[in-house]
Amino acid sequence: MTNPKMRHRAPRPANVSAVPVALAGVPLPEFAPSEYVGRPVDGWTVEAVWLAAVRYARAHELRRGGARAAWLAFASAYDVATGAKLKREELRMRLAGHDPEPEAWAVDP
């Protein structure tokens, strides 16, 4: 017998290339990390997505909130689509005393 909850699940896409972003309910331009950094062969990492988010924010004259919104939108979609755990990894890094956000802002001052 088939589990009724499993019948309604759509297949997960293999990858996410771009996501819509909003900050305080205001839509921002779509965020595609590969436009700002080269996509790593083995998949996106916390550091690579943060760097792309910072470059996205700078390109659109946004502040840190715009970068954070882009990071969260992409990390959430990527985690769901691929089964990755970018958001969990970022939290683990922060709890261990390594915050990837300031490092991303320092790369291209």
Side-chain angles (χ1 to χ4, degrees), residues 2-97:
T2 306
N3 183 344
K5 292 181 181 178
M6 299 300 287
R7 277 194 324 222
H8 300 290
R9 288 188 181 178
R12 296 195 311 182
N15 198 357
V16 175
S17 59
V19 293
V21 179
L23 182 60
V26 177
L28 299 174
E30 190 171 71
F31 174 53
S34 60
E35 291 180 18
Y36 303 96
V37 295
R39 179 181 153 81
V41 175
D42 57 348
W44 287 105
T45 63
V46 171
E47 293 88 351
V49 176
W50 259 115
L51 181 58
V54 166
R55 288 179 175 170
Y56 161 87
R58 286 186 172 140
H60 296 287
E61 299 179 357
L62 302 169
R63 296 182 185 247
R64 289 185 186 266
R68 185 80 185 153
W71 152 259
L72 285 172
F74 184 80
S76 297
Y78 187 77
D79 286 357
V80 168
T82 65
K85 294 179 175 48
L86 290 178
K87 288 172 46 180
R88 181 178 290 172
E89 178 63 18
E90 185 207 26
L91 179 60
R92 187 194 65 71
M93 291 170 76
R94 286 178 187 256
L95 290 173

Side-chain angles (χ1 to χ4, degrees), residues 91-108:
L91 179 60
R92 187 194 65 71
M93 291 170 76
R94 286 178 187 256
L95 290 173
H98 174 77
D99 187 349
E101 182 180 2
E103 290 178 7
W105 282 99
V107 170
D108 300 319

